[in-house]
Amino acid sequence: MLTKRIIPCLDVKEGRVVKGVQFVNLRDAGDPVELAEFYDSEGADELVFLDISASHEGRETMIDVVEQVAGKLAIPFTVGGGINTLEDMKRVLRAGADKVSLNTAAVNRPELIKEGADFFGAQCIVVAVDAKYDKDIRSWRIYTHGGRKATDWEVLDWVKEAVRLGAGEILLTSMDQDGEKKGFDVKLTKAVSAAVSVPVIASGGAGKVDDFTEVFNEASADAALAASIFHYKETSVAEVKDYLKKEGVPVR
Amino acid sequence: MIGIVDYGMGNLHSVSKALERLGFEYKISSDIYVLVEMDGLILPGVGAFPDAMEILQETGLAAFLQDWAYAKRPLLGICLGMQLLFKESEEYQLTEGIGLLPGRVERFKGVNAQGEVYKVPHMGWNKLSFSGNDHPLLKEVEEGHVYFVHSYAVKTEDSSILLATADYHEEVPAVVGRGNIMGTQFHPEKSSTVGMNILKNFGKIVEEAKENE
């Protein structure tokens, strides 16, 4: 049976992991390679690196990070952030990433999804969406630019279009739940998961181990992504997986 | 020395990095004159079957790999690389494969026997189940989880080539092998300890083949 995936997410800026990571047992808590190895050893099924560098130099550094991670890890990893062209995808994938994640650039120019899928195969192309509930449309609206800019897209319309163009996976972040630690957005995740034929990664809101059970059992998520709950050691990947096992959720 | 066949459709980096970690020497090449000097070959692959076969035919690599396999030299196909070892695929149109193993590559139906819709691709970690057929590729490997990403799977009448399967709404051939011809549908280079042990076994098979030459 296919297992549910637990995916820690690391924000990387100018080659360093940021957003306060509390890892006393590591030599250097800001080193993405060291953190990646730590999560791998804990049983993470996959990793996501989000490059939040503002500069060109930062992006160049990210390529080095990808190469080093690829050299050390024997689990898949995705790189997102600042990928705007097919050339950007080529550089990241050739450096050893398994998947790229597209967000704003895909909304701005949806053909980018198709270009990537045609060149590398749909399995390499993750479309990340930031969704926020909008009572005017009685559904969730897609936001871009790190959640700063509202678009005209309704979430289900957009994810269906993304999959039609070749998205192999949807990374779905609930802006309403993100940072709240009150659990994943079950309604949103369930709706998106039912709307598309490809796997859906739920993101935003993980606050306790039970939240993971809920998003898998009630929202049919295929994977769940979290950042701070793991970075701040409020729980660990191993603990979450042990708990899920006890609850009868298939995990590795 | 292990040769990684570069025909423009593989995630060569992660396979080569995995071999490096295991301490096996390798060379990535598209040149038949280079590859023929190797002791074993890995055929990686990501993408569409017809595109891959077209390149393999045009470059002469398909015929070269057939000769290689008939000479009983070790060959490991990974993911699409495994599917290419079979007789044919129905991806987009019926396309002839390299034809070293009996079977056809077919798309997951996306609907199970009960009429329930399931997701395609089969993506993520799934558990291996050994068939009981013995092969050195699985020596001392545990029946653990490995990482799959594929929308097409092999269908074969010949159960003697099935070494391990995984359950995804049907029995999915996960490891196949007949003597020197081997394949994994999943990505061993992305499958943590289980995958690394399989690659280590392939490396040993290659070393033994070299000694026996």
Side-chain angles (χ1 to χ4, degrees), chain A residues 1-3 45-46 70-76 94-96 98-99 120 123 168-169 193 197-198 222 252, chain B residues 11 13-14 17 21 46-47 118-127 145 147 149 167-168 189-192 196:
Chain A
M1 193 193 279
L2 191 64
T3 58
D45 296 303
E46 215 167 308
K72 295 242 163 102
L73 278 199
I75 60 169
R94 283 181 183 153
D98 299 283
K99 307 174 195 177
F120 292 104
Q123 80 289 335
E169 210 168 15
S193 193
S197 56
V198 301
D222 299 282
R252 177 168 71 105
Chain B
N11 191 351
H13 190 98
S14 45
K17 284 286 173 187
R21 277 205 297 279
V46 166
Y118 63 85
K119 298 203 173 177
V120 178
H122 171 214
M123 182 190 274
W125 296 83
N126 205 334
K127 196 173 186 299
H145 288 90
Y147 187 78
V149 187
D167 174 21
Y168 190 64
E189 75 281 11
K190 288 288 160 187
S191 294
S192 204
M196 292 306 266

Side-chain angles (χ1 to χ4, degrees), chain B:
Chain B
M1 180 86 79
I2 297 172
I4 301 174
V5 184
D6 178 10
Y7 59 107
M9 300 206 45
N11 191 351
L12 308 171
H13 190 98
S14 45
V15 176
S16 58
K17 284 286 173 187
L19 294 179
E20 221 169 277
R21 277 205 297 279
L22 292 167
F24 293 116
E25 290 192 318
Y26 67 89
K27 206 173 258 184
I28 299 171
S29 181
S30 55
D31 187 341
I32 288 170
Y33 294 101
V34 173
L35 294 172
V36 77
E37 298 297 327
M38 300 291 123
D39 306 303
L41 293 179
I42 291 180
L43 183 65
V46 166
F49 194 103
D51 296 350
M53 271 319 292
E54 197 183 315
I55 299 171
L56 291 175
Q57 298 286 10
E58 272 175 10
T59 52
L61 281 166
F64 165 72
L65 290 170
Q66 283 168 345
D67 291 342
W68 176 278
Y70 295 143
K72 301 267 177 236
R73 308 182 73 187
L75 172 63
L76 173 69
I78 295 175
C79 198
L80 175 64
M82 171 189 121
Q83 297 180 354
L84 293 166
L85 304 179
F86 283 81
K87 186 168 177 291
E88 59 195 9
S89 166
E90 59 163 34
E91 188 167 350
Y92 302 118
Q93 75 260 15
L94 197 62
T95 307
E96 211 175 298
I98 300 171
L100 302 171
L101 294 171
R104 176 190 271 201
V105 182
E106 294 180 7
R107 191 174 167 86
F108 281 110
K109 292 195 176 57
V111 182
N112 67 14
Q114 288 75 43
E116 292 158 350
V117 175
Y118 63 85
K119 298 203 173 177
V120 178
H122 171 214
M123 182 190 274
W125 296 83
N126 205 334
K127 196 173 186 299
L128 291 179
S129 172
F130 294 161
S131 67
N133 292 329
D134 198 34
H135 195 285
L137 190 62
L138 294 183
K139 195 179 169 198
E140 285 167 25
V141 171
E142 61 164 322
E143 252 178 337
H145 288 90
V146 290
Y147 187 78
F148 290 87
V149 187
H150 61 128
S151 299
Y152 290 77
V154 166
K155 293 270 168 90
T156 183
E157 307 271 296
D158 186 350
S159 62
S160 72
I161 62 167
L162 293 181
L163 305 182
T165 58
D167 174 21
Y168 190 64
H169 305 281
E170 58 182 78
E171 197 178 65
V172 180
V175 186
V176 297
R178 172 179 282 166
N180 59 313
I181 306 161
M182 294 157 263
T184 65
Q185 177 61 71
F186 54 88
H187 288 273
E189 75 281 11
K190 288 288 160 187
S191 294
S192 204
T193 320
V194 177
M196 292 306 266
N197 285 339
I198 289 173
L199 285 177
K200 199 190 287 174
N201 283 340
F202 179 70
K204 283 185 195 156
I205 291 168
V206 171
E207 281 172 355
E208 276 164 29
K210 187 186 174 187
E211 281 163 19
N212 295 339
E213 253 172 34

